[in-house]
Amino acid sequence: MPVKVAGIQNNIGLIYAEIKEYRTALAYYFKAEKINIANKEKSILAINYNNIATCYQKLNQFSSAQTYLQKSLLLRQEVSDTVGMAMAYHNIGINHQLTEDNDSAIIFFNKSLRYLTNMSENIGHAYNYLELGNTLLQQHKLTEAEPYLLSSLRISENSELEGVKVEVYKYLSSLYEQKQDFKKAFNYQNLYLLSKENVESDESKNEILKKELEYDFAKRQELQRKDAENRQAVAAAEIKSQKKLTTGAVIGLIILSGLILIVFRSYNQKRKANDIISKQKELVEHKNKEILDSINYAKYIQNALLPSEKIINELPVNCFILFKPKDIVSGDFYWIHNNPISEKSVNEVYIAAVDCTGHGVPGALVSVVGNNGLNRCVKEYGIHDTGKILDKLSELVEETFEKSENELKDGMDISILKIKTDSIDGASKKIELQWSGANNPLWIIKKDTQLLEEIKANKQPVGKFMERKNFTSHSLFLEKGDRLYLFTDGYADQFGGPKGKKFKYKQLEDLLLSTFELPFSDQKNILEASLIKWKGELEQVDDICIIGISI
């Protein structure tokens, strides 16, 4: 009678484990353990300990799991349970695998296989080959992993072990992807997705359970052969107390039926919840598509505001622009304006690199304010001085954001240059320029010295600022062949390299100096290639804009 009660307690624990109530399952397993210890039921106690260890693994308490797996192994050794020892070694290997002790895991999987040597290939072989292949795959030992996974696949296909096949397909797809055999990787990925869908159906789940029970039954046959005489004696005694046992069995069945009802109710509720989640997912995906379509259209609008390739090519100076938004739309932008100032076809060319607060959609909205403000400064207000342009732009930005009930401190950092075209076409060797900066400086490399000279910006942004001063206008006289660089902070702030650190301005300065004598198209390509190499697998952290100008 106590043995039957222990069996019922264990079965109740299995049901709670199935619905992931692991702590409740442990309570029933421990009740079964006490009964099995009192009755010295070593074989059943070994299974009991394995169930306890499985719950601890699910609760990420791997040390406790290891303790009970060792207890299970010792009991199986005491009763000379060969199949049980193979199972115990496999489960200890799994526990080491879960704690990322892969070398130990491999040792125990091989021990498990040694105890299965004299048996025909079964689910035990399939699972050991599967986990050996998986563990070696995690160690990137692809050549060693492949034969184990293929052996597991062969056994699982011959024995119709659907659950094993799903896992093998997944690991083989990953293995061939790493070996760059993309055709095989794609085929196994398709098999994985198809098999996974089939396994998740109730019919396939029942088939998997059947195979697992067959394996457990083979183990039990081994035990039954060794203690047949004892069981015959027990059978005679059980006949005398059949009525009591029948009563206990009925009570147990009632309890089990109630718990099974709870499991099925839980399953139905979960299925309904999954249906709701599926519908919500479709709704979210639809909303995300609408949002993404809107952002892509915003990109189209933002690109329309940027100077076209034709305008850039028609400038009286040679120019390159490296522009790489972090997201679909950008908080950085570049601005170019040809401003006629007399009837003698004399123009002032304005070029600016602008970095607005934030990036993505918020930055893009601020960039529209900045672009519109710059156009108003030169067209509507007729301002020609770069410093005064930034002063007026600050007023316009503040006016725009003051209309909000919330206090917004959005603004922008700008490096703006003005070039007089008559000084380029005239007889004078010196070319007249004017420059102003809000936080972002101007870099100049002169052809005769090939040294980088920095003109510092005012330490204040365009927009709201507590202690604002008028922006400084710097007058410059350069020679043909000199180069100037306007930029935002995105390139220098990019993380990457072997230590995952920022690129920094010093490295950018060295890169520009080392490529100074190259044509602008080559210098731009080198800048872009260097950024990609430095960034590696890391995400781009900010919008990037660099403008090179050759006088």
Side-chain angles (χ1 to χ4, degrees):
M1 183 66 178
V3 176
K4 293 293 183 180
V5 173
I8 292 170
Q9 299 286 1
N10 187 70
N11 289 338
I12 294 172
L14 288 171
I15 292 172
Y16 274 108
E18 179 67 22
I19 61 174
K20 300 182 180 180
E21 293 288 342
Y22 301 117
R23 297 196 182 278
T24 306
L26 280 172
Y28 283 98
Y29 289 150
F30 286 134
K31 289 178 182 179
E33 177 197 15
K34 288 181 180 179
I35 298 171
N36 289 327
I37 290 174
N39 289 276
K40 299 181 180 180
E41 294 288 343
K42 294 183 179 180
S43 298
I44 300 173
L45 187 58
I47 297 171
N48 200 179
Y49 284 150
N50 185 71
N51 291 340
I52 292 171
T54 301
C55 277
Y56 277 128
Q57 285 176 343
K58 296 295 185 181
L59 294 168
N60 294 326
Q61 297 180 22
F62 302 112
S63 176
S64 298
Q66 184 68 18
T67 299
Y68 281 95
L69 288 171
Q70 288 295 138
K71 287 184 177 183
S72 179
L73 175 61
L74 289 172
L75 289 171
R76 294 180 193 276
Q77 289 172 338
E78 286 182 27
V79 298
S80 301
D81 179 4
T82 304
V83 178
M85 282 188 279
M87 180 186 290
Y89 280 125
H90 177 84
N91 291 337
I92 292 172
I94 292 291
N95 203 56
H96 283 292
Q97 190 184 66
L98 291 171
T99 56
E100 299 184 358
D101 184 2
N102 289 329
D103 291 334
S104 297
I106 290 171
I107 291 170
F108 283 100
F109 292 142
N110 280 316
K111 281 187 177 182
S112 178
L113 281 171
R114 282 200 292 274
Y115 280 94
L116 299 173
T117 302
N118 297 325
M119 298 178 61
S120 59
E121 288 185 330
N122 56 31
I123 189 172
H125 294 82
Y127 269 116
N128 277 302
Y129 289 143
L130 172 71
E131 296 304 339
L132 277 167
N134 176 27
T135 307
L136 291 166
L137 181 61
Q138 291 178 29
Q139 295 178 325
H140 303 291
K141 296 178 180 179
L142 307 182
T143 303
E144 296 177 46
E146 185 175 13
Y148 284 118
L149 292 174
L150 291 174
S151 295
S152 181
L153 179 60
R154 172 176 52 78
I155 297 169
S156 60
E157 287 178 337
N158 291 338
S159 303
E160 298 182 0
L161 304 174
E162 297 299 325
V164 180
K165 276 199 294 185
V166 171
E167 296 300 311
V168 178
Y169 288 148
K170 178 173 68 174
Y171 296 145
L172 282 173
S173 176
S174 175
L175 183 143
Y176 287 120
E177 182 181 3
Q178 292 182 49
K179 293 182 76 171
Q180 297 187 340
D181 188 344
F182 298 114
K183 183 177 180 181
K184 285 185 178 180
F186 179 75
N187 288 338
Y188 280 115
Q189 178 67 13
N190 281 341
L191 288 170
Y192 165 66
L193 294 174
L194 182 61
S195 299
K196 182 181 178 185
E197 183 178 348
N198 291 336
V199 165
E200 287 174 350
S201 70
D202 289 339
E203 183 179 348
S204 294
K205 285 180 182 176
N206 290 336
E207 190 62 27
I208 293 166
L209 181 59
K210 178 184 173 185
K211 293 297 178 182
E212 290 175 347
L213 289 174
E214 286 175 356
Y215 173 59
D216 189 57
F217 181 70
K219 175 185 73 63
R220 289 179 182 272
Q221 278 187 318
E222 183 73 14
L223 292 172
Q224 288 170 356
R225 184 182 62 79
K226 292 181 179 179
D227 62 352
E229 294 180 357
N230 291 334
R231 286 190 289 106
Q232 286 175 359
V234 171
E238 284 182 347
I239 292 173
K240 297 178 181 180
S241 58
Q242 187 63 47
K243 290 183 179 180
K244 293 182 180 180
L245 293 176
T246 302
T247 303
V250 169
I251 294 171
L253 285 172
I254 292 171
I255 295 171
L256 284 173
S257 299
L259 289 171
I260 290 169
L261 179 62
I262 293 171
V263 170
F264 277 108
R265 285 184 63 189
S266 175
Y267 170 77
N268 288 330
Q269 289 173 353
K270 183 177 180 181
R271 186 177 61 183
K272 290 177 182 178
N274 286 339
D275 290 340
I276 294 171
I277 291 169
S278 178
K279 291 177 182 178
Q280 290 175 339
K281 181 182 176 184
E282 290 178 7
L283 180 62
V284 169
E285 287 176 350
H286 177 70
K287 291 295 182 183
N288 284 343
K289 184 179 182 302
E290 289 183 345
I291 293 168
L292 190 60
D293 289 344
S294 298
I295 295 173
N296 282 321
Y297 192 74
K299 178 184 178 182
Y300 172 78
I301 295 171
Q302 188 177 49
N303 287 342
L305 296 176
L306 296 174
S308 66
E309 197 71 31
K310 180 175 181 294
I311 290 173
I312 295 169
N313 292 334
E314 290 177 353
L315 291 175
V317 292
N318 192 14
C319 176
F320 83 78
I321 300 174
L322 176 63
F323 181 61
K324 297 183 75 63
K326 176 188 183 298
D327 302 309
I328 298 173
V329 289
S330 173
D332 284 10
F333 70 96
Y334 52 93
W335 178 76
I336 295 172
H337 180 69
N338 258 327
N339 188 45
I341 59 172
S342 72
E343 297 178 356
K344 299 179 180 179
S345 299
V346 177
N347 282 18
E348 290 174 338
V349 178
Y350 296 87
I351 303 174
V354 189
D355 182 0
C356 299
T357 303
H359 49 74
V361 174
L365 291 172
V366 179
S367 76
V368 173
V369 175
N371 189 291
N372 182 56
L374 285 168
N375 286 324
R376 289 184 66 192
C377 286
V378 294
K379 293 179 180 179
E380 182 179 337
Y381 295 102
I383 303 172
H384 303 284
D385 183 272
T386 55
K388 291 181 179 178
I389 288 174
L390 297 189
D391 291 334
K392 186 62 180 177
L393 181 59
S394 289
E395 292 179 19
L396 295 175
V397 170
E398 284 192 63
E399 286 176 8
T400 301
F401 292 128
E402 278 178 356
K403 296 173 184 177
S404 171
E405 294 180 0
N406 301 316
E407 184 178 3
L408 297 176
K409 296 182 180 180
D410 296 288
M412 55 205 74
D413 299 336
I414 300 182
S415 181
I416 181 169
L417 180 72
K418 178 181 74 174
I419 307 170
K420 291 187 67 175
T421 57
D422 60 334
S423 65
I424 297 175
D425 301 330
S428 173
K429 293 182 178 180
K430 297 290 184 181
I431 299 166
E432 183 181 352
L433 304 97
Q434 189 182 69
W435 174 84
S436 296
N439 286 326
N440 290 341
L442 170 69
W443 284 359
I444 302 170
I445 303 178
K446 296 184 177 180
K447 66 175 182 178
D448 53 350
T449 63
Q450 294 193 14
L451 296 175
L452 191 145
E453 175 187 343
E454 178 178 283
I455 300 179
K456 296 187 180 297
N458 292 99
K459 293 297 180 183
Q460 60 184 25
V462 166
K464 191 166 186 176
F465 191 69
M466 290 296 294
E467 299 179 3
R468 175 165 304 286
K469 298 178 181 178
N470 290 335
F471 284 97
T472 306
S473 299
H474 298 268
S475 295
L476 310 170
F477 293 91
L478 302 180
E479 296 183 359
K480 291 184 179 179
D482 294 343
R483 290 188 175 182
L484 304 95
Y485 298 93
L486 314 176
F487 48 85
T488 61
D489 59 2
Y491 199 105
D493 284 347
Q494 178 60 49
F495 288 98
K499 296 182 179 179
K501 294 186 176 181
K502 285 186 179 182
F503 193 85
K504 295 188 178 179
Y505 287 104
K506 181 62 173 67
Q507 196 171 180
L508 177 59
E509 177 182 331
D510 293 340
L511 183 58
L512 292 175
L513 286 170
S514 66
T515 57
F516 172 75
E517 295 183 343
L518 296 176
F520 257 173
S521 59
D522 292 341
Q523 190 175 44
K524 177 185 176 181
N525 291 336
I526 290 172
L527 282 168
E528 190 162 8
S530 298
L531 177 68
I532 293 170
K533 182 179 179 182
W534 178 261
K535 181 167 69 73
E537 298 298 322
L538 297 179
E539 183 182 354
Q540 184 174 326
V541 298
D542 198 0
D543 302 315
I544 292 171
C545 182
I546 298 178
I547 304 174
I549 302 156
S550 179
I551 301 301

